[in-house]
Amino acid sequence: MTDDLDPALVPELLVRDISRSIRFWSGICGFEVRYSRPEEHFAYLALGSAHVMLEEIGIGRNWITAPLETPLGRGINFQIAVPDTAVLAAALAAADIELLMQPETKWYRVGDREAGVRQFVVADPDGYLVRFQSSVGRRSAN
């Protein structure tokens, strides 16, 4: 069994500039740098139970199976729950970071119920898509 200090899944994202990525993920989006290895251009970040590792391309040991082309995050988006998406969207706007999808309220069917979320999508500096969402409750699917 794991807890938020030892999650079962932690994506490791290869990035072009570790400092720029840390400013985005930690400085703007609220992640905490749990630890880093500056000599390897590596950082481990967490926001509640959402964890992510960042590693600069070409430094240390990278597992690269094909040429890396920008945007690096094609085909994936990371859903991260936050207490209030409006606060985070405002912080991104203040940093002149454009959202790929403006904030919306969306209801998703989950069995015979619906789960509501307030969400938006933003790309990190390397093109990884992040969908921040906060719950607006549950309701009957009828």
Side-chain angles (χ1 to χ4, degrees):
M1 181 134 181
T2 62
D3 60 21
D4 71 336
L5 298 178
D6 188 21
L9 175 67
V10 181
E12 183 171 351
L13 308 180
L14 293 179
V15 300
R16 293 173 292 169
D17 181 333
I18 191 77
S19 296
R20 183 179 66 178
S21 292
I22 289 172
R23 280 192 303 275
F24 174 84
W25 286 91
S26 180
I28 299 168
C29 295
F31 279 72
E32 166 194 1
V33 177
R34 288 276 176 95
Y35 60 90
S36 65
R37 293 189 292 272
E39 69 280 4
E40 295 179 20
H41 294 228
F42 172 90
Y44 188 105
L45 297 97
L47 176 64
S49 60
H51 293 220
V52 65
M53 295 180 285
L54 304 174
E55 182 176 6
E56 192 167 311
I57 297 168
I59 310 291
R61 184 172 66 167
N62 304 147
W63 292 288
I64 300 173
T65 59
L68 294 176
E69 299 173 8
T70 304
L72 300 179
R74 286 173 280 173
I76 191 167
N77 78 77
F78 298 100
Q79 175 182 296
I80 300 173
V82 295
D84 188 344
T85 54
V87 170
L88 183 50
L92 290 161
D96 291 324
I97 296 174
E98 188 174 328
L99 302 182
L100 264 69
M101 183 184 79
Q102 293 301 312
E104 69 172 11
T105 299
K106 178 81 173 162
W107 291 89
Y108 294 101
R109 191 174 54 76
V110 181
D112 62 351
R113 311 238 338 127
E114 287 184 333
V117 295
R118 184 82 177 138
Q119 63 185 3
F120 67 86
V121 177
V122 64
D124 89 337
D126 291 288
Y128 293 103
L129 299 183
V130 185
R131 182 166 43 108
F132 288 103
Q133 61 94 12
S134 53
S135 176
V136 295
R138 295 198 176 239
R139 66 184 186 192
S140 173
N142 296 340

